[in-house]
Amino acid sequence: MGWWWVALSLLLPWMAMSLWLRLLWPEPRPGRWPMVLGYGYLLGIIGSAGLLWLQGALGWPLGSRVLLIVPGLLLVTALLLLSRGKSPGNAEVRASEYLSLWRGFVFGLILLWVVARFAGLALEIWWQPLFPWDAWTTWGARAKVWTALQTLVPFVSPEAWLADRTGTLHTIDAWSYPATISLVAAWPTLALGAWNETAANIPWLGVALALGLGFYGQARLWGASPLTAMVFVWMVLSVPLLNTQIALAGYADLWLATALGLALMAFLQWLRSGDPRQGFLTILSILVCISIKREGLVWVLLFIPSLIAAKLGKNVLQILAVVLMGLVVFLWVQGVIEFDLPGLGSVRLSANVIQLPFIDEFRVDYHPVWEPVLRQYFLYSNWHLFAYVLVLSFVAAIAALFLNSPRGWLKAGLVWALGSLAAIYFLFFWTDAYLWAVKATSINRILLQFIPGLFFWIMTVWLEFVRALENRSVPFSSRGH
Protein backbone atom coordinates (compact mmCIF):
# COMPACT_ATOMS: atom_id res chain seq x y z
CA MET A 1 0.00 0.00 0.00
CA GLY A 2 2.95 2.31 0.63
CA TRP A 3 3.81 2.83 -3.03
CA TRP A 4 0.18 3.61 -3.81
CA TRP A 5 0.52 6.50 -1.39
CA VAL A 6 3.61 7.66 -3.29
CA ALA A 7 1.64 7.61 -6.55
CA LEU A 8 -1.24 9.53 -4.94
CA SER A 9 1.15 12.10 -3.45
CA LEU A 10 2.39 12.95 -6.95
CA LEU A 11 -0.76 12.48 -9.03
CA LEU A 12 -3.30 14.30 -6.85
CA PRO A 13 -1.46 17.68 -6.73
CA TRP A 14 -0.58 17.34 -10.42
CA MET A 15 -4.12 16.62 -11.59
CA ALA A 16 -5.70 19.14 -9.22
CA MET A 17 -3.54 22.05 -10.38
CA SER A 18 -3.81 20.98 -14.04
CA LEU A 19 -7.61 20.97 -13.92
CA TRP A 20 -7.69 24.38 -12.26
CA LEU A 21 -5.46 25.72 -15.03
CA ARG A 22 -7.73 23.98 -17.53
CA LEU A 23 -10.61 26.05 -16.15
CA LEU A 24 -8.71 29.15 -17.25
CA TRP A 25 -8.54 27.83 -20.83
CA PRO A 26 -12.11 26.74 -21.67
CA GLU A 27 -11.64 27.34 -25.38
CA PRO A 28 -10.17 24.38 -27.29
CA ARG A 29 -6.80 25.33 -28.74
CA PRO A 30 -3.85 23.30 -30.02
CA GLY A 31 -1.48 22.63 -27.15
CA ARG A 32 -3.93 23.49 -24.38
CA TRP A 33 -3.80 20.15 -22.53
CA PRO A 34 -0.01 19.61 -22.74
CA MET A 35 0.51 23.15 -21.46
CA VAL A 36 -1.80 22.86 -18.43
CA LEU A 37 -0.36 19.43 -17.59
CA GLY A 38 3.21 20.78 -17.71
CA TYR A 39 2.54 23.85 -15.59
CA GLY A 40 0.16 21.84 -13.41
CA TYR A 41 2.84 19.41 -12.32
CA LEU A 42 5.40 22.10 -11.49
CA LEU A 43 2.94 24.26 -9.55
CA GLY A 44 1.22 21.29 -7.92
CA ILE A 45 4.38 19.66 -6.57
CA ILE A 46 5.91 22.95 -5.44
CA GLY A 47 2.59 23.82 -3.83
CA SER A 48 2.69 20.49 -1.98
CA ALA A 49 6.16 21.36 -0.71
CA GLY A 50 4.68 24.64 0.51
CA LEU A 51 1.97 22.75 2.40
CA LEU A 52 4.63 20.60 4.01
CA TRP A 53 6.57 23.71 5.06
CA LEU A 54 3.42 25.24 6.55
CA GLN A 55 2.72 22.02 8.45
CA GLY A 56 6.21 22.08 9.94
CA ALA A 57 6.10 25.81 10.65
CA LEU A 58 2.93 25.29 12.70
CA GLY A 59 4.78 22.73 14.79
CA TRP A 60 2.73 19.76 13.57
CA PRO A 61 4.35 16.38 12.83
CA LEU A 62 5.27 16.12 9.18
CA GLY A 63 3.08 13.84 7.10
CA SER A 64 2.00 14.20 3.50
CA ARG A 65 -0.86 11.69 3.68
CA VAL A 66 -3.10 13.97 5.71
CA LEU A 67 -2.16 16.92 3.49
CA LEU A 68 -3.46 15.04 0.44
CA ILE A 69 -6.90 16.19 1.58
CA VAL A 70 -6.08 19.64 0.16
CA PRO A 71 -5.27 18.62 -3.45
CA GLY A 72 -8.05 16.03 -3.22
CA LEU A 73 -10.63 18.71 -2.44
CA LEU A 74 -9.20 20.97 -5.14
CA LEU A 75 -9.43 18.13 -7.65
CA VAL A 76 -13.07 17.36 -6.82
CA THR A 77 -13.98 21.05 -6.96
CA ALA A 78 -12.31 21.47 -10.34
CA LEU A 79 -14.08 18.39 -11.71
CA LEU A 80 -17.44 19.74 -10.55
CA LEU A 81 -16.77 23.12 -12.15
CA LEU A 82 -15.66 21.47 -15.40
CA SER A 83 -18.74 19.25 -15.49
CA ARG A 84 -21.01 22.28 -15.16
CA GLY A 85 -19.30 24.09 -18.01
CA LYS A 86 -20.52 23.68 -21.55
CA SER A 87 -18.31 21.48 -23.69
CA PRO A 88 -17.39 23.35 -26.87
CA GLY A 89 -16.86 20.11 -28.73
CA ASN A 90 -13.80 18.28 -29.93
CA ALA A 91 -12.07 21.04 -31.81
CA GLU A 92 -8.63 20.74 -30.25
CA VAL A 93 -6.99 20.42 -33.66
CA ARG A 94 -8.28 22.09 -36.78
CA ALA A 95 -8.64 19.92 -39.88
CA SER A 96 -5.93 21.87 -41.67
CA GLU A 97 -3.44 20.96 -38.94
CA TYR A 98 -3.61 17.19 -39.31
CA LEU A 99 -0.20 15.78 -40.07
CA SER A 100 0.62 14.50 -43.51
CA LEU A 101 1.87 10.93 -43.79
CA TRP A 102 5.57 11.71 -43.74
CA ARG A 103 5.25 14.39 -41.06
CA GLY A 104 3.21 12.02 -38.94
CA PHE A 105 5.86 9.34 -39.40
CA VAL A 106 8.67 11.68 -38.29
CA PHE A 107 6.52 12.96 -35.41
CA GLY A 108 5.90 9.39 -34.28
CA LEU A 109 9.59 8.49 -34.45
CA ILE A 110 10.57 11.48 -32.32
CA LEU A 111 7.80 10.76 -29.84
CA LEU A 112 8.92 7.13 -29.66
CA TRP A 113 12.49 8.29 -28.98
CA VAL A 114 11.30 10.56 -26.16
CA VAL A 115 9.19 7.80 -24.60
CA ALA A 116 12.04 5.28 -24.82
CA ARG A 117 14.45 7.79 -23.32
CA PHE A 118 12.10 8.50 -20.44
CA ALA A 119 11.68 4.77 -19.85
CA GLY A 120 15.46 4.39 -19.56
CA LEU A 121 15.71 7.37 -17.23
CA ALA A 122 12.89 5.96 -15.10
CA LEU A 123 14.87 2.75 -14.66
CA GLU A 124 17.94 4.76 -13.68
CA ILE A 125 15.90 6.55 -11.01
CA TRP A 126 14.44 3.26 -9.81
CA TRP A 127 17.81 1.51 -9.53
CA GLN A 128 20.26 4.33 -8.83
CA PRO A 129 20.65 5.39 -5.18
CA LEU A 130 20.97 9.04 -4.29
CA PHE A 131 24.19 10.25 -5.88
CA PRO A 132 26.86 12.24 -4.01
CA TRP A 133 27.71 15.94 -4.11
CA ASP A 134 24.91 18.49 -3.82
CA ALA A 135 22.11 15.92 -4.03
CA TRP A 136 23.70 13.97 -1.21
CA THR A 137 25.04 16.75 0.98
CA THR A 138 22.33 19.41 0.66
CA TRP A 139 18.91 18.66 -0.78
CA GLY A 140 18.71 14.96 0.09
CA ALA A 141 20.35 15.35 3.50
CA ARG A 142 17.65 17.68 4.80
CA ALA A 143 14.87 15.59 3.25
CA LYS A 144 16.21 12.45 4.93
CA VAL A 145 16.43 14.10 8.35
CA TRP A 146 12.94 15.60 8.08
CA THR A 147 11.47 12.28 6.95
CA ALA A 148 13.16 10.31 9.73
CA LEU A 149 12.21 12.75 12.50
CA GLN A 150 8.89 13.82 10.95
CA THR A 151 9.73 17.31 12.11
CA LEU A 152 10.98 20.34 10.26
CA VAL A 153 14.10 20.61 12.39
CA PRO A 154 16.18 23.72 11.62
CA PHE A 155 19.48 23.65 9.76
CA VAL A 156 21.85 26.38 10.92
CA SER A 157 25.38 27.56 10.33
CA PRO A 158 28.26 25.37 11.59
CA GLU A 159 29.06 28.02 14.21
CA ALA A 160 25.49 28.00 15.57
CA TRP A 161 25.46 24.19 15.50
CA LEU A 162 28.68 23.99 17.51
CA ALA A 163 27.31 26.46 20.05
CA ASP A 164 24.03 24.55 20.45
CA ARG A 165 23.72 22.47 23.62
CA THR A 166 20.21 21.11 22.98
CA GLY A 167 21.12 18.66 20.22
CA THR A 168 18.08 19.74 18.20
CA LEU A 169 19.92 21.67 15.49
CA HIS A 170 21.51 20.32 12.33
CA THR A 171 23.99 21.77 9.87
CA ILE A 172 25.21 21.33 6.31
CA ASP A 173 27.48 23.47 4.14
CA ALA A 174 24.56 25.00 2.22
CA TRP A 175 22.43 25.43 5.35
CA SER A 176 20.99 28.76 4.16
CA TYR A 177 19.66 27.49 0.81
CA PRO A 178 15.87 27.51 0.35
CA ALA A 179 14.15 24.40 1.67
CA THR A 180 11.80 23.89 -1.30
CA ILE A 181 13.66 21.13 -3.16
CA SER A 182 14.38 19.24 0.05
CA LEU A 183 10.65 19.37 0.81
CA VAL A 184 9.91 18.11 -2.70
CA ALA A 185 12.11 15.07 -2.01
CA ALA A 186 10.54 14.56 1.42
CA TRP A 187 6.95 14.77 0.12
CA PRO A 188 6.74 11.26 -1.47
CA THR A 189 8.91 9.62 1.20
CA LEU A 190 6.58 10.87 3.94
CA ALA A 191 3.70 9.43 1.93
CA LEU A 192 5.57 6.11 1.77
CA GLY A 193 6.10 6.21 5.52
CA ALA A 194 9.89 5.90 5.56
CA TRP A 195 12.93 7.28 3.80
CA ASN A 196 13.42 5.71 0.38
CA GLU A 197 15.77 7.19 -2.20
CA THR A 198 13.78 5.94 -5.17
CA ALA A 199 10.63 7.60 -3.83
CA ALA A 200 12.58 10.80 -3.14
CA ASN A 201 13.90 10.87 -6.72
CA ILE A 202 10.70 10.12 -8.64
CA PRO A 203 9.59 13.81 -8.71
CA TRP A 204 12.65 14.54 -10.89
CA LEU A 205 11.32 12.32 -13.66
CA GLY A 206 7.98 14.10 -13.34
CA VAL A 207 9.47 17.59 -13.65
CA ALA A 208 11.34 16.55 -16.82
CA LEU A 209 8.03 15.30 -18.23
CA ALA A 210 6.41 18.58 -17.17
CA LEU A 211 9.12 20.49 -19.03
CA GLY A 212 8.42 18.54 -22.23
CA LEU A 213 4.65 18.93 -21.93
CA GLY A 214 4.80 22.61 -21.07
CA PHE A 215 7.24 23.33 -23.90
CA TYR A 216 5.14 21.46 -26.46
CA GLY A 217 1.92 23.09 -25.31
CA GLN A 218 3.33 26.62 -25.39
CA ALA A 219 4.95 25.96 -28.77
CA ARG A 220 1.61 24.87 -30.22
CA LEU A 221 -0.15 27.87 -28.68
CA TRP A 222 2.55 30.03 -30.27
CA GLY A 223 1.58 28.67 -33.68
CA ALA A 224 4.29 26.09 -34.27
CA SER A 225 3.23 23.01 -36.21
CA PRO A 226 3.03 19.72 -34.29
CA LEU A 227 6.23 18.50 -35.93
CA THR A 228 8.13 21.72 -35.27
CA ALA A 229 7.01 21.73 -31.64
CA MET A 230 8.03 18.08 -31.22
CA VAL A 231 11.44 18.68 -32.81
CA PHE A 232 12.21 21.45 -30.32
CA VAL A 233 10.95 19.33 -27.42
CA TRP A 234 13.33 16.62 -28.59
CA MET A 235 16.17 19.14 -28.80
CA VAL A 236 15.60 20.18 -25.19
CA LEU A 237 15.09 16.70 -23.77
CA SER A 238 18.11 15.30 -25.61
CA VAL A 239 20.59 17.70 -24.00
CA PRO A 240 23.11 15.35 -22.32
CA LEU A 241 23.52 17.32 -19.12
CA LEU A 242 19.75 17.62 -18.69
CA ASN A 243 19.48 13.83 -19.03
CA THR A 244 22.21 13.47 -16.42
CA GLN A 245 20.25 15.68 -14.03
CA ILE A 246 17.26 13.34 -14.44
CA ALA A 247 19.18 10.09 -14.10
CA LEU A 248 21.20 11.35 -11.10
CA ALA A 249 18.13 12.90 -9.50
CA GLY A 250 18.40 15.06 -6.43
CA TYR A 251 19.83 18.34 -7.75
CA ALA A 252 17.89 21.61 -7.79
CA ASP A 253 19.12 22.78 -11.21
CA LEU A 254 16.57 20.78 -13.22
CA TRP A 255 13.71 22.32 -11.24
CA LEU A 256 15.09 25.83 -11.65
CA ALA A 257 15.66 25.26 -15.38
CA THR A 258 12.06 24.07 -15.78
CA ALA A 259 10.56 26.92 -13.76
CA LEU A 260 12.67 29.59 -15.46
CA GLY A 261 11.96 28.16 -18.90
CA LEU A 262 8.22 27.94 -18.33
CA ALA A 263 8.28 31.49 -16.96
CA LEU A 264 9.91 32.81 -20.13
CA MET A 265 7.48 30.89 -22.37
CA ALA A 266 4.47 32.38 -20.60
CA PHE A 267 6.15 35.81 -20.51
CA LEU A 268 6.70 35.91 -24.26
CA GLN A 269 3.16 34.62 -24.85
CA TRP A 270 1.78 37.41 -22.66
CA LEU A 271 3.81 40.08 -24.47
CA ARG A 272 2.73 38.72 -27.84
CA SER A 273 -1.00 38.22 -27.20
CA GLY A 274 -1.71 40.28 -24.10
CA ASP A 275 -3.39 37.21 -22.57
CA PRO A 276 -3.60 37.87 -18.79
CA ARG A 277 -3.67 34.13 -18.14
CA GLN A 278 -0.16 33.85 -19.52
CA GLY A 279 0.85 36.76 -17.32
CA PHE A 280 -0.55 34.84 -14.35
CA LEU A 281 1.50 31.78 -15.28
CA THR A 282 4.57 34.02 -15.60
CA ILE A 283 4.15 35.35 -12.06
CA LEU A 284 3.57 31.89 -10.58
CA SER A 285 6.61 30.43 -12.39
CA ILE A 286 8.78 33.35 -11.27
CA LEU A 287 7.74 32.75 -7.66
CA VAL A 288 8.74 29.11 -8.06
CA CYS A 289 12.16 30.19 -9.36
CA ILE A 290 12.72 32.38 -6.33
CA SER A 291 11.72 29.57 -3.96
CA ILE A 292 14.16 27.03 -5.43
CA LYS A 293 17.65 28.55 -5.33
CA ARG A 294 19.21 31.86 -4.45
CA GLU A 295 20.37 32.42 -8.01
CA GLY A 296 16.76 32.05 -9.07
CA LEU A 297 16.15 35.47 -7.52
CA VAL A 298 18.93 36.90 -9.71
CA TRP A 299 17.80 35.21 -12.91
CA VAL A 300 14.20 36.46 -12.63
CA LEU A 301 15.57 40.01 -12.59
CA LEU A 302 16.25 39.47 -16.32
CA PHE A 303 12.52 39.88 -16.91
CA ILE A 304 12.70 43.54 -15.86
CA PRO A 305 14.93 44.85 -18.70
CA SER A 306 13.09 42.50 -21.08
CA LEU A 307 9.76 44.06 -20.12
CA ILE A 308 11.21 47.55 -20.46
CA ALA A 309 12.58 46.73 -23.92
CA ALA A 310 9.18 45.41 -25.00
CA LYS A 311 7.08 48.29 -23.69
CA LEU A 312 9.26 51.32 -24.23
CA GLY A 313 10.21 52.98 -27.48
CA LYS A 314 13.67 53.32 -28.96
CA ASN A 315 14.23 56.87 -27.69
CA VAL A 316 13.28 55.97 -24.12
CA LEU A 317 15.60 52.98 -24.21
CA GLN A 318 18.45 55.22 -25.34
CA ILE A 319 17.75 57.60 -22.46
CA LEU A 320 17.74 54.71 -19.99
CA ALA A 321 21.06 53.48 -21.41
CA VAL A 322 22.57 56.94 -20.89
CA VAL A 323 21.23 57.07 -17.32
CA LEU A 324 22.69 53.62 -16.62
CA MET A 325 26.07 54.67 -17.96
CA GLY A 326 25.85 57.78 -15.79
CA LEU A 327 25.24 55.62 -12.73
CA VAL A 328 28.26 53.49 -13.60
CA VAL A 329 30.45 56.58 -13.94
CA PHE A 330 29.08 57.99 -10.67
CA LEU A 331 29.85 54.72 -8.92
CA TRP A 332 33.36 54.72 -10.29
CA VAL A 333 34.00 58.29 -9.13
CA GLN A 334 32.20 57.94 -5.78
CA GLY A 335 33.99 54.70 -4.98
CA VAL A 336 31.18 53.03 -3.02
CA ILE A 337 27.42 53.30 -2.57
CA GLU A 338 25.88 51.87 0.59
CA PHE A 339 22.27 51.92 1.81
CA ASP A 340 19.82 49.76 3.73
CA LEU A 341 16.59 48.33 2.41
CA PRO A 342 14.13 48.14 5.35
CA GLY A 343 13.35 44.54 6.17
CA LEU A 344 15.65 43.22 3.45
CA GLY A 345 19.22 44.08 4.32
CA SER A 346 22.19 46.14 3.17
CA VAL A 347 23.20 47.00 -0.38
CA ARG A 348 26.82 47.82 -1.10
CA LEU A 349 28.06 48.69 -4.58
CA SER A 350 31.65 49.51 -5.38
CA ALA A 351 34.23 48.87 -8.05
CA ASN A 352 35.48 45.85 -6.12
CA VAL A 353 32.51 44.51 -4.11
CA ILE A 354 28.81 43.95 -4.80
CA GLN A 355 26.64 42.99 -1.83
CA LEU A 356 22.92 42.28 -2.35
CA PRO A 357 20.30 41.09 0.16
CA PHE A 358 19.31 37.39 0.01
CA ILE A 359 21.93 36.76 -2.69
CA ASP A 360 25.54 37.11 -1.65
CA GLU A 361 28.60 39.30 -1.59
CA PHE A 362 30.76 39.22 -4.71
CA ARG A 363 34.31 40.45 -5.04
CA VAL A 364 34.62 41.95 -8.51
CA ASP A 365 37.84 41.23 -10.35
CA TYR A 366 38.46 40.17 -13.94
CA HIS A 367 39.50 36.56 -14.57
CA PRO A 368 40.21 35.63 -18.22
CA VAL A 369 38.82 32.09 -18.24
CA TRP A 370 38.00 32.04 -21.95
CA GLU A 371 39.74 28.74 -22.63
CA PRO A 372 37.73 26.53 -20.22
CA VAL A 373 34.46 28.33 -21.02
CA LEU A 374 34.82 27.94 -24.79
CA ARG A 375 35.99 24.36 -24.35
CA GLN A 376 32.99 23.42 -22.22
CA TYR A 377 30.38 25.15 -24.38
CA PHE A 378 31.71 24.69 -27.91
CA LEU A 379 33.85 21.53 -27.88
CA TYR A 380 32.59 19.12 -25.25
CA SER A 381 29.49 17.00 -25.72
CA ASN A 382 27.42 18.25 -22.79
CA TRP A 383 25.44 20.52 -25.12
CA HIS A 384 25.60 18.90 -28.56
CA LEU A 385 25.60 21.85 -31.01
CA PHE A 386 23.62 24.24 -28.81
CA ALA A 387 26.26 27.00 -28.71
CA TYR A 388 26.45 27.15 -32.50
CA VAL A 389 22.66 27.21 -32.88
CA LEU A 390 22.50 30.00 -30.29
CA VAL A 391 24.99 32.16 -32.20
CA LEU A 392 23.02 31.70 -35.43
CA SER A 393 19.81 32.53 -33.58
CA PHE A 394 21.17 35.89 -32.45
CA VAL A 395 21.92 36.68 -36.09
CA ALA A 396 18.41 35.57 -37.10
CA ALA A 397 16.81 37.63 -34.30
CA ILE A 398 18.61 40.81 -35.36
CA ALA A 399 17.74 40.13 -39.00
CA ALA A 400 14.07 39.58 -38.07
CA LEU A 401 14.04 42.93 -36.27
CA PHE A 402 15.26 44.67 -39.41
CA LEU A 403 13.02 42.74 -41.81
CA ASN A 404 9.86 43.53 -39.84
CA SER A 405 8.70 46.38 -37.68
CA PRO A 406 10.15 45.59 -34.26
CA ARG A 407 7.81 43.49 -32.15
CA GLY A 408 7.77 43.88 -28.38
CA TRP A 409 8.09 40.19 -27.64
CA LEU A 410 10.96 39.84 -30.12
CA LYS A 411 12.90 42.64 -28.46
CA ALA A 412 12.12 41.24 -25.02
CA GLY A 413 13.29 37.76 -25.98
CA LEU A 414 16.52 39.13 -27.44
CA VAL A 415 17.22 41.16 -24.29
CA TRP A 416 16.47 38.12 -22.09
CA ALA A 417 18.78 35.87 -24.10
CA LEU A 418 21.58 38.45 -24.13
CA GLY A 419 21.00 39.11 -20.43
CA SER A 420 21.35 35.43 -19.58
CA LEU A 421 24.70 35.29 -21.38
CA ALA A 422 25.77 38.53 -19.69
CA ALA A 423 24.88 37.04 -16.28
CA ILE A 424 26.94 33.93 -17.02
CA TYR A 425 29.82 36.10 -18.27
CA PHE A 426 29.79 38.29 -15.14
CA LEU A 427 29.60 35.27 -12.84
CA PHE A 428 32.51 33.36 -14.36
CA PHE A 429 34.73 36.22 -15.50
CA TRP A 430 34.29 38.83 -12.76
CA THR A 431 33.68 36.93 -9.51
CA ASP A 432 35.33 34.17 -7.50
CA ALA A 433 33.06 31.73 -9.34
CA TYR A 434 35.73 31.69 -12.05
CA LEU A 435 37.08 28.69 -10.14
CA TRP A 436 33.91 26.80 -11.15
CA ALA A 437 34.95 27.32 -14.76
CA VAL A 438 38.55 26.34 -14.20
CA LYS A 439 37.60 23.19 -12.27
CA ALA A 440 34.65 22.44 -14.61
CA THR A 441 32.14 22.15 -11.77
CA SER A 442 29.13 24.49 -11.88
CA ILE A 443 29.97 26.05 -15.23
CA ASN A 444 27.63 23.64 -17.02
CA ARG A 445 24.93 23.49 -14.36
CA ILE A 446 24.51 27.28 -14.47
CA LEU A 447 23.97 27.23 -18.23
CA LEU A 448 21.51 24.36 -17.83
CA GLN A 449 19.25 26.66 -15.84
CA PHE A 450 18.77 28.81 -18.96
CA ILE A 451 18.58 26.03 -21.55
CA PRO A 452 14.77 25.47 -21.77
CA GLY A 453 14.09 29.19 -21.98
CA LEU A 454 16.79 29.75 -24.57
CA PHE A 455 15.49 26.87 -26.71
CA PHE A 456 11.98 28.31 -26.67
CA TRP A 457 13.35 31.71 -27.61
CA ILE A 458 15.33 30.11 -30.44
CA MET A 459 12.12 28.51 -31.75
CA THR A 460 10.27 31.84 -31.72
CA VAL A 461 13.16 33.57 -33.47
CA TRP A 462 13.34 31.08 -36.33
CA LEU A 463 9.57 31.04 -36.80
CA GLU A 464 9.61 34.84 -36.97
CA PHE A 465 12.62 34.87 -39.26
CA VAL A 466 10.96 32.46 -41.70
CA ARG A 467 7.74 34.48 -41.58
CA ALA A 468 9.66 37.69 -42.24
CA LEU A 469 11.41 36.14 -45.26
CA GLU A 470 8.09 34.91 -46.62
CA ASN A 471 6.55 38.35 -46.25
CA ARG A 472 9.53 39.96 -48.00
CA SER A 473 9.32 37.50 -50.89
CA VAL A 474 5.64 38.16 -51.66
CA PRO A 475 6.13 41.42 -53.59
CA PHE A 476 8.89 39.87 -55.68
CA SER A 477 6.87 36.76 -56.54
CA SER A 478 3.84 38.84 -57.45
CA ARG A 479 5.78 40.88 -60.00
CA GLY A 480 5.93 37.98 -62.43
CA HIS A 481 2.12 37.73 -62.63
Side-chain angles (χ1 to χ4, degrees), residues 259-268 270-271 281-283 285-287 289-290 296-311 412-413 415-417 419-420 450 453:
L260 188 62
L262 293 180
L264 179 67
M265 297 172 205
F267 177 68
L268 293 179
W270 171 67
L271 289 176
L281 287 181
T282 303
I283 294 172
S285 301
I286 283 176
L287 291 176
C289 291
I290 295 173
L297 177 60
V298 182
W299 303 157
V300 299
L301 296 177
L302 295 174
F303 289 96
I304 297 176
S306 301
L307 181 61
I308 293 174
K311 296 298 183 180
V415 169
W416 193 91
S420 65
F450 295 100

Side-chain angles (χ1 to χ4, degrees), residues 353-375:
V353 176
I354 296 177
Q355 178 183 331
L356 299 174
F358 299 114
I359 300 175
D360 209 342
E361 178 178 303
F362 300 97
R363 292 198 169 274
V364 181
D365 191 19
Y366 179 66
H367 306 279
V369 290
W370 288 105
E371 191 273 333
V373 169
L374 294 176
R375 174 163 31 91

Side-chain angles (χ1 to χ4, degrees), residues 5 55 60-71 187 190-191:
W5 280 109
Q55 187 183 43
W60 299 343
L62 294 183
S64 57
R65 293 184 184 181
V66 66
L67 292 178
L68 288 177
I69 296 173
V70 177
W187 175 259
L190 287 166

Side-chain angles (χ1 to χ4, degrees), residues 146-161:
W146 292 335
T147 300
L149 300 180
Q150 294 188 345
T151 305
L152 206 63
V153 294
F155 280 77
V156 298
S157 67
E159 294 78 14
W161 176 73

Side-chain angles (χ1 to χ4, degrees), residues 393-451:
S393 298
F394 280 117
V395 176
I398 295 171
L401 283 172
F402 281 102
L403 290 173
N404 277 335
S405 57
R407 301 171 183 270
W409 65 264
L410 187 57
K411 293 187 291 183
L414 181 59
V415 169
W416 193 91
L418 289 171
S420 65
L421 296 186
I424 292 174
Y425 170 75
F426 176 78
L427 181 66
F428 291 126
F429 285 80
W430 289 91
T431 74
D432 291 339
Y434 80 95
L435 291 173
W436 300 349
V438 174
K439 297 179 180 180
T441 53
S442 293
I443 181 173
N444 288 307
R445 287 164 51 195
I446 294 295
L447 178 61
L448 176 66
Q449 296 168 10
F450 295 100
I451 284 295

Side-chain angles (χ1 to χ4, degrees), residues 130-407:
L130 193 68
F131 211 69
W133 303 310
D134 287 13
W136 205 16
T137 61
T138 302
W139 315 109
R142 292 188 296 190
K144 188 172 183 178
V145 170
W146 292 335
T147 300
L149 300 180
Q150 294 188 345
T151 305
L152 206 63
V153 294
F155 280 77
V156 298
S157 67
E159 294 78 14
W161 176 73
L162 286 171
D164 173 54
R165 296 183 180 276
T166 66
T168 59
L169 301 181
H170 293 71
T171 189
I172 52 176
D173 286 341
W175 61 272
S176 61
Y177 276 30
T180 304
I181 297 303
S182 296
L183 291 170
V184 166
W187 175 259
T189 62
L190 287 166
L192 183 64
W195 174 255
N196 182 283
E197 295 184 357
T198 298
N201 290 341
I202 287 176
W204 270 254
L205 184 69
V207 79
L209 177 61
L211 172 59
L213 288 169
F215 194 109
Y216 182 84
Q218 289 285 29
R220 295 288 286 124
L221 286 171
W222 190 270
S225 68
L227 182 56
T228 298
M230 182 55 70
V231 166
F232 274 92
V233 168
W234 169 77
M235 291 172 70
V236 173
L237 295 182
S238 66
V239 170
L241 194 64
L242 187 142
N243 280 240
T244 302
Q245 289 269 323
I246 303 170
L248 303 180
Y251 290 79
D253 305 283
L254 179 62
W255 290 84
L256 182 54
T258 300
L260 188 62
L262 293 180
L264 179 67
M265 297 172 205
F267 177 68
L268 293 179
Q269 293 275 24
W270 171 67
L271 289 176
R272 187 186 188 213
S273 64
D275 189 341
R277 298 169 297 184
Q278 294 285 359
F280 178 64
L281 287 181
T282 303
I283 294 172
L284 291 180
S285 301
I286 283 176
L287 291 176
V288 172
C289 291
I290 295 173
S291 74
I292 293 176
K293 293 189 78 174
R294 286 186 298 179
E295 54 258 43
L297 177 60
V298 182
W299 303 157
V300 299
L301 296 177
L302 295 174
F303 289 96
I304 297 176
S306 301
L307 181 61
I308 293 174
K311 296 298 183 180
L312 298 183
K314 181 179 179 181
N315 293 334
V316 179
L317 289 176
Q318 290 175 345
I319 293 173
L320 287 176
V322 172
V323 171
L324 181 61
M325 289 298 297
L327 288 175
V328 172
V329 173
F330 175 78
L331 177 62
W332 188 266
V333 174
Q334 188 73 12
V336 61
I337 298 176
E338 291 184 274
F339 57 91
D340 292 326
L341 295 175
L344 298 178
S346 300
V347 175
R348 185 168 185 263
L349 303 175
S350 70
N352 297 318
V353 176
I354 296 177
Q355 178 183 331
L356 299 174
F358 299 114
I359 300 175
D360 209 342
E361 178 178 303
F362 300 97
R363 292 198 169 274
V364 181
D365 191 19
Y366 179 66
H367 306 279
V369 290
W370 288 105
E371 191 273 333
V373 169
L374 294 176
R375 174 163 31 91
Q376 290 290 335
Y377 293 160
F378 284 88
L379 294 181
Y380 287 175
S381 59
N382 285 324
W383 308 108
H384 288 325
L385 300 176
F386 171 76
Y388 301 95
V389 174
L390 184 63
V391 171
L392 291 175
S393 298
F394 280 117
V395 176
I398 295 171
L401 283 172
F402 281 102
L403 290 173
N404 277 335
S405 57
R407 301 171 183 270

